[in-house]
Structure formats: structure tokens, C-alpha cells
């Protein structure tokens, strides 16, 4: 891009970041009539959204068996009680946001009726229907910018419904997958980001890549006045006048210094966009914003597949479905299980980070142990059912040799596997309760309806894969009000400054209620930010057909 592609006389609204939170904010503001500029520091659009599953968690949406009040009951038990107004605003606005997205973009929601909430033992939880995927996205008639959305390593264009139908790698419809590839049909986070890019451009927003926000300035009254931008290929800093700034640049888990300073010590990898280096956190500090929840993230156990990179750096894969399957367990260096392997990934991440009384982290080095039947039947990133074993997987003909090869206590591993195999006879896990709830069973083997999570580890050769403590985004950042307006420590708003998504997900605490909750938070408060900006700038209502939520 060139310097000339940036508006020389300024704009009404600058949105920093082209993930879902920023793009929904841009669409909402642009539909009101505001002149909107979206800055993306990467050379591709989509941010962490494009790297994600792309599903969104919306209690009470398009359901005859669920409602917002029941969703709120559940959410209040999961999210931090410190900011109840944020929890309520999120729940009550999410359905409105979802309707708005469908009305202004080519994205079309599809409910996942069988996908459970993450804590099905809590009142108000549901065994399905709150998570929304999308119709596969045709890209032929989209705006040119839509072709610039990033695609993650290992990307396969399948929907969640496809996965539910196929389950086993041997059942995957390779012909359909190849047809989608050839036609450029998108699914998952790539589809969501692509649809939102299309909607933003059609709403009148200008999207500029390779343009990084590096500074923001207030006028004499303390309101946003201008921003500084570093543009690839342009000498010096470009200053842009603006009346509103939306910080949607993601978190800081890709910045080594901030990660080491703020996040748990065992954290090894991040699947957030490489550009998530704390732009919002740094600017918010400079502008005098209140900060909170900076030690939290959306935790995810991960594996690093050799050769899979993003922007020249190794890029990990999350382990979500694999941990519910039979014939595998997770152990630490002592060869001991320490968690229900099939539990929600955020909860498993907490177990990996757990600190002992002596200050050590006994589970930071964890290994998924499985046998030959698991390898042949179930999926694991980077491992085919047969053929050469890749370098990230260790193989041995006995558990003793496997333990020696990866540095696990051999006696501990043997005792643990023996105990697990005994547990499988009655399909009861007396140690960690694996298989005792709807979420666990959902990711089990449907061919074993009575014991979907159970199966002995008894068929050589045996395998071990290092499971890495990871995150799909940090959660800390500037404190905002319910309209995403950034606040000072005294509770007053910094006029014209907004934050949404992982740049400001402070109010969630350590909670993760269901599949797609991360995107739901970002998109909902991006939407509220866009509406608030329209009101701030005295533009008309964004859509007469979209009802106000009264705030």
C-alpha cells in the first residue's frame, strides 16, 4: 500500500484491528453514516478470528427451549462477579448483534443443537443449541478485500455439522472438501472474518493492511483527537485526525516481555495472531486508562506439528476433540494423571498452570499417552493412521521404553495405565470423573454410547505427544463501560476511546461458558461500541430494523 491510500484529511472513526470485534464495530459505525477507517498491522485481514473455529456462543438466540434469562443465570456463575453490568449487557445484546451481522454481511448462522455448554452441571446450562456455526461461504461475489483474509496452517474447510456427521478421519468426505478448496468456499473463522470484511467494505468502511497503530493523542478536553500510524513502505509516521478510536488489536500473549510479566509461567505457546503484541495495553497505559484481569487468558492445550508455521514462526494447534476419545490419557513427568482429559480446554489449561505449594508447576510438562488403536481410529494433528511417525510423536513398543524416551517416570506411568485400564472395565473414572458429564461425552466415541470416553491403552506400539500449555488470547486490558468506552481509574470515560474483544475482555475473569464465547464477547461489545460512536457523533440510528436494547 502507499501513503496516499490513507485519508489525508482524517476520518470520523479509526478502528485498529480487523478481527471480528473490530469489524463489527466498523460495520455498526459505518452503517450510521460515519466515515470509518480500519487499520490492520498485518498484511492480511482477519486477526485471530481467521485463525479460530469461528463459532459464536449466543444463549437464547433463535430458540424455543432457551432464553436470555436462563443464559444470564448460567453466565453469572461462570464470569467474574466484579462487573455484573457487563455480563448482563453481553447476554442481552448478543442476539441483537447476531441479527445485525446477518442483515449486513453474507454470514448466515447455523445452530449447533448438540454442542454442550462447558459446565453442564451448573443451573442454566444447556446440552446444546447455544453455539452457532455458519453456512459455508461462497466467495465469488465478495469484495476484493475479502480475498486478503488470512488462512491458518492445517486449515480444512469443514463445518461443525460435517465433523459431527463424519467424526472419524476415515469418514471424511474428501471429495467435498476438495471441491470447497477448488471453489474457494470458506468455513470456520476464515469464513466469519471474510464475511465481516465484505460487510465492512460494503458499509463504506475503508480497510488498510500493513498499517499499525502506534500512538493516540487526546485534545485539551481529554478526548481522542488523532492517531499515529506506521505504514509499511512509508518513511516516518502518518498522523490521522479522528473523533473516535476503537482498540480491537487483540491481546498481548504474542509479546514475550508482556507474556512473561503478566501471564502464568508455564505458558508455552499462543494460537493468537502473531500481531497480538499488546498494542492496546500499551496505548491504554499511556492514555491513563484503568486496567484489569491482566493475568488471565483463554487457555488451550496445544501441540506443535513440525513444519506448520505462520509468518515464518512455528504455529501450534489446539487439542479440543482428541482429548475426549477413548484409549488415551494425559500424564505429567511423574507419569500421573492430574485432570479429566476430556474437560473443557480452558479448565485443562488451568490444570497445566496449577502451582504447587512449593512454588513449582508439576503439570507444565504433560504428555498425551495413547496406543495403536487410537492412532488408527482417531484424529491427532500431524499424525496419520499409518506410515512414518513424525518427530513430534514418540513411539515405543512398551510403556517402559516410551517413558524412558520422553522422560517420564516409568513406574508411575505403568501404574497409571494399569489403573486406567481397570477403570475402563466399568466405564467409571474414580479419580477425575471423566465421562461423567455431557461435555465429556460429546467428544467421546459415538460408536460406544455406553462408554464414549473409555478404552484401555493396551495395544502396542505406544505413543506420546507433548501437550503444551497454550492460549488462544489474553484477557486483560483497559476497563470499559457497557458501551465499550474506555474508563480511567476514577470511573470517568476517555471520550472517543473504545476497546473490544481480547483487547478489553477484562470482565470475564477466568470463565469460559461455552464454545464460541470468546468471539461472542468481542463481537457484542464491538457492536455496542459502533452504536455508541454513532450516538457520540450524532449520526442516525444504524438500522431501523434493529431494536434498541435501551442503553
Amino acid at each position: 500500500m502507499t501513503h496516499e491510500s490513507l485519508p489525508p484529511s482524517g476520518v470520523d472513526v479509526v478502528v485498529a484491528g480487523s478481527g471480528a470485534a473490530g469489524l463489527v464495530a466498523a460495520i455498526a459505525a459505518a452503517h450510521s453514516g460515519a466515515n470509518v477507517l480500519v487499520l490492520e498491522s498485518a498484511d492480511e485481514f482477519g486477526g485471530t478470528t481467521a485463525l479460530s473455529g469461528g463459532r459464536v456462543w449466543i444463549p437464547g438466540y433463535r430458540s424455543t427451549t432457551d432464553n436470555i434469562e436462563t443464559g444470564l443465570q448460567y453466565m453469572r456463575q461462570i464470569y467474574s462477579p466484579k462487573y455484573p453490568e457487563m455480563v448482563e449487557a453481553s447476554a442481552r445484546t448478543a442476539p441483537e448483534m447476531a441479527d445485525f451481522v446477518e442483515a449486513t454481511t453474507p454470514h448466515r448462522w447455523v445452530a449447533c443443537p448438540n454442542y454442550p455448554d462447558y459446565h453442564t452441571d451448573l443451573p442454566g446450562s444447556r446440552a446444546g443449541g447455544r453455539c452457532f456455526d455458519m453456512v459455508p461461504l461462497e466467495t465469488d461475489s465478495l469484495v476484493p478485500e475479502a480475498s486478503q483474509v488470512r488462512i491458518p496452517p492445517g486449515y480444512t474447510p469443514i463445518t461443525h455439522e460435517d465433523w459431527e456427521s463424519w467424526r472419524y478421519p476415515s469418514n471424511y468426505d474428501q471429495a467435498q472438501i476438495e471441491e470447497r478448496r477448488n471453489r474457494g468456499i470458506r468455513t470456520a473463522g476464515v469464513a466469519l472474518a471474510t464475511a465481516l470484511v465484505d460487510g465492512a467494505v460494503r458499509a463504506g468502511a475503508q480497510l488498510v493492511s500493513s498499517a499499525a497503530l502506534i500512538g493516540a493523542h487526546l485534545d485539551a478536553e481529554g478526548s481522542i483527537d488523532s492517531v499515529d500510524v506506521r505504514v509499511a513502505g512509508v518513511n516516518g509516521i502518518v498522523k490521522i485526525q479522528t473523533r473516535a478510536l476503537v482498540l480491537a488489536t487483540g491481546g498481548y500473549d504474542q509479546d514475550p516481555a508482556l507474556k512473561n510479566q503478566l501471564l502464568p509461567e508455564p505458558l508455552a505457546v499462543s494460537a493468537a495472531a502473531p500481531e497480538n503484541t499488546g498494542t492496546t495495553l500499551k496505548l491504554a497505559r499511556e492514555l491513563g486508562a484503568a486496567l484489569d484481569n491482566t493475568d488471565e487468558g483463554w487457555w488451550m492445550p496445544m501441540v506443535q506439528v513440525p513444519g506448520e508455521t505462520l509468518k515464518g514462526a512455528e504455529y501450534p494447534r489446539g487439542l479440543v476433540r482428541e482429548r475426549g476419545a477413548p484409549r488415551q490419557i494425559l500424564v505429567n513427568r511423574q507419569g500421573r494423571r492430574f485432570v479429566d482429559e476430556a474437560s473443557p480446554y480452558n479448565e485443562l489449561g488451568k490444570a497445566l498452570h496449577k502451582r504447587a505449594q512449593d512454588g513449582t508447576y508439576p503439570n507444565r510438562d504433560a504428555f498425551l499417552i495413547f496406543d495403536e488403536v487410537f492412532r488408527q481410529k482417531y484424529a491427532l494433528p500431524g499424525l496419520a493412521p499409518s506410515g512414518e511417525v513424525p518427530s513430534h510423536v514418540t513411539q515405543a513398543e512398551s510403556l517402559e521404553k516410551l517413558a524412558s524416551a520422553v522422560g517420564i517416570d516409568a513406574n508411575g506411568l505403568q501404574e497409571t495405565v494399569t489403573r486406567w485400564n481397570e477403570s475402563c472395565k466399568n466405564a467409571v473414572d474414580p479419580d477425575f470423573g471423566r465421562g461423567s458429564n455431557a461435555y465429556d461425552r460429546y467428544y467421546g466415541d459415538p460408536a460406544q454410547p455406553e462408554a464414549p470416553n473409555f478404552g484401555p491403552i493396551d495395544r502396542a506400539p505406544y505413543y506420546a505427544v507433548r501437550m503444551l500449555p497454550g492460549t488462544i488470547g489474553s484477557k486483560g486490558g483497559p476497563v470499559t463501560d457497557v458501551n465499550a468506552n474506555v474508563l480511567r481509574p476514577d470511573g470517568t470515560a476517555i471520550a472517543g476511546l473504545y476497546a473490544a474483544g481480547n483487547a478489553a475482555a477484562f470482565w470475564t475473569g477466568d470463565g469460559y461458558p461455552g464454545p464460541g464465547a470468546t468471539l461472542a464477547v468481542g463481537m457484542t461489545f464491538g457492536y455496542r461500541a459502533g452504536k455508541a460512536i454513532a450516538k457520540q457523533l450524532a449520526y442516525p440510528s444504524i438500522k431501523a430494523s434493529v431494536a434498541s436494547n435501551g442503553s
Side-chain angles (χ1 to χ4, degrees):
M1 62 162 289
T2 64
H3 185 179
E4 287 72 26
S5 62
L6 290 172
S9 58
V11 293
D12 294 326
V13 186
V14 170
V15 176
S18 66
L23 290 171
V24 172
I27 296 168
H31 265 273
S32 75
N35 183 9
V36 179
L37 172 66
V38 178
L39 301 173
E40 173 53 58
S41 62
D43 59 1
E44 298 172 301
F45 298 121
T48 301
T49 298
L51 303 172
S52 75
R55 289 173 285 276
V56 182
W57 188 76
I58 316 173
Y61 187 53
R62 297 182 178 177
S63 174
T64 59
T65 59
D66 189 23
N67 57 63
I68 291 174
E69 298 304 325
T70 304
L72 264 171
Q73 177 191 21
Y74 174 67
M75 292 169 69
R76 287 170 178 145
Q77 300 167 85
I78 302 293
Y79 286 140
S80 169
K82 190 174 180 181
Y83 301 97
E85 73 282 5
M86 302 296 286
V87 180
E88 181 148 347
S90 179
R92 297 197 184 285
T93 310
E96 180 183 320
M97 174 277 296
D99 281 341
F100 177 75
V101 165
E102 201 166 78
T104 57
T105 80
H107 184 82
R108 296 294 176 264
W109 301 106
V110 175
C112 301
N114 305 312
Y115 204 169
D117 292 343
Y118 288 166
H119 302 274
T120 52
D121 58 323
L122 294 179
S125 65
R126 286 291 182 268
R130 287 176 170 170
C131 176
F132 287 81
D133 199 24
M134 73 285 291
V135 174
L137 180 67
E138 303 269 358
T139 59
D140 293 345
S141 60
L142 304 185
V143 299
E145 290 89 341
S147 66
Q148 299 174 43
V149 171
R150 71 175 9 140
I151 297 177
Y155 171 69
T156 302
I158 68 173
T159 66
H160 194 75
E161 184 179 16
D162 291 335
W163 176 81
E164 281 191 336
S165 175
W166 301 336
R167 287 281 178 156
Y168 312 108
S170 60
N171 290 345
Y172 277 33
D173 188 336
Q174 297 299 337
Q176 184 181 73
I177 291 171
E178 190 61 24
E179 180 186 7
R180 286 176 181 168
R181 290 190 196 279
N182 293 336
R183 293 177 56 194
I185 293 174
R186 304 298 190 219
T187 64
V190 179
L192 178 59
T194 300
L196 293 175
V197 164
D198 185 79
V201 173
R202 293 186 190 278
Q206 180 184 0
L207 275 63
V208 181
S209 61
S210 301
L213 176 71
I214 61 170
H217 306 281
L218 306 178
D219 61 19
E221 284 72 44
S223 301
I224 284 292
D225 172 73
S226 62
V227 297
D228 294 332
V229 183
R230 179 178 289 117
V231 183
V234 175
N235 293 325
I237 303 302
V238 179
K239 183 179 288 291
I240 301 173
Q241 300 296 129
T242 188
R243 299 166 67 190
L245 169 62
V246 180
L247 299 171
T249 59
Y252 41 84
D253 41 324
Q254 293 285 20
D255 181 275
L258 289 173
K259 178 179 79 72
N260 293 337
Q261 175 190 354
L262 299 173
L263 298 176
E265 183 181 320
L267 188 63
V269 292
S270 170
E275 298 78 21
N276 283 19
T277 55
T279 296
T280 288
L281 192 67
K282 296 165 188 175
L283 283 182
R285 284 172 172 169
E286 293 172 2
L287 295 173
L291 304 177
D292 205 352
N293 212 42
T294 54
D295 59 348
E296 286 292 346
W298 306 93
W299 310 127
M300 172 75 77
M302 295 180 173
V303 63
Q304 182 61 60
V305 178
E308 293 195 350
T309 62
L310 185 65
K311 298 300 178 184
E314 289 186 331
Y315 187 77
R317 293 241 222 136
L319 293 180
V320 178
R321 299 163 177 165
E322 303 82 359
R323 298 176 291 101
R327 309 187 78 95
Q328 54 78 24
I329 57 173
L330 185 64
V331 302
N332 55 24
R333 288 283 185 195
Q334 286 69 49
R336 305 298 184 185
R337 293 178 67 215
F338 56 90
V339 70
D340 167 9
E341 292 86 353
S343 60
Y345 44 85
N346 193 60
E347 300 307 305
L348 199 145
K350 294 177 190 178
L352 294 172
H353 298 152
K354 186 175 182 179
R355 191 170 185 171
Q357 290 185 346
D358 62 2
T360 63
Y361 297 90
N363 306 323
R364 70 187 306 165
D365 294 337
F367 298 85
L368 194 72
I369 306 296
F370 55 97
D371 71 357
E372 180 64 17
V373 178
F374 177 97
R375 179 190 179 182
Q376 292 178 10
K377 190 172 185 179
Y378 307 112
L380 191 73
L383 180 63
S386 61
E388 185 177 352
V389 176
S391 60
H392 72 298
V393 179
T394 301
Q395 175 183 330
E397 290 302 316
S398 70
L399 290 172
E400 182 179 10
K401 291 179 179 179
L402 186 70
S404 176
V406 297
I408 297 174
D409 181 88
N411 290 333
L413 179 61
Q414 184 63 67
E415 291 172 4
T416 298
V417 170
T418 298
R419 182 169 175 81
W420 170 254
N421 291 349
E422 284 295 317
S423 299
C424 292
K425 293 177 181 179
N426 296 315
V428 175
D429 176 11
D431 299 315
F432 300 100
R434 179 161 145 188
S436 62
N437 61 78
Y439 180 82
D440 282 15
R441 293 189 291 272
Y442 176 73
Y443 276 127
D445 188 338
Q448 301 179 187
E450 299 303 316
N453 306 108
F454 290 89
I457 301 170
D458 61 4
R459 186 77 60 83
Y462 301 99
Y463 301 89
V465 173
R466 176 74 183 276
M467 186 175 287
L468 301 170
T471 177
I472 52 177
S474 58
K475 283 186 173 183
V479 176
T480 73
D481 64 15
V482 294
N483 291 318
N485 202 168
V486 174
L487 304 178
R488 299 181 180 89
D490 65 2
T492 60
I494 301 176
L497 183 63
Y498 300 82
N502 286 349
F506 69 92
W507 56 271
T508 58
D510 69 352
Y512 206 145
T518 314
L519 284 168
V521 168
M523 294 172 71
T524 298
F525 283 93
Y527 174 68
R528 291 185 70 95
K531 289 180 62 181
I533 289 168
K535 184 175 181 180
Q536 171 200 335
L537 303 182
Y539 281 108
S541 175
I542 57 174
K543 275 281 182 181
S545 61
V546 178
S548 170
N549 59 20
S551 57

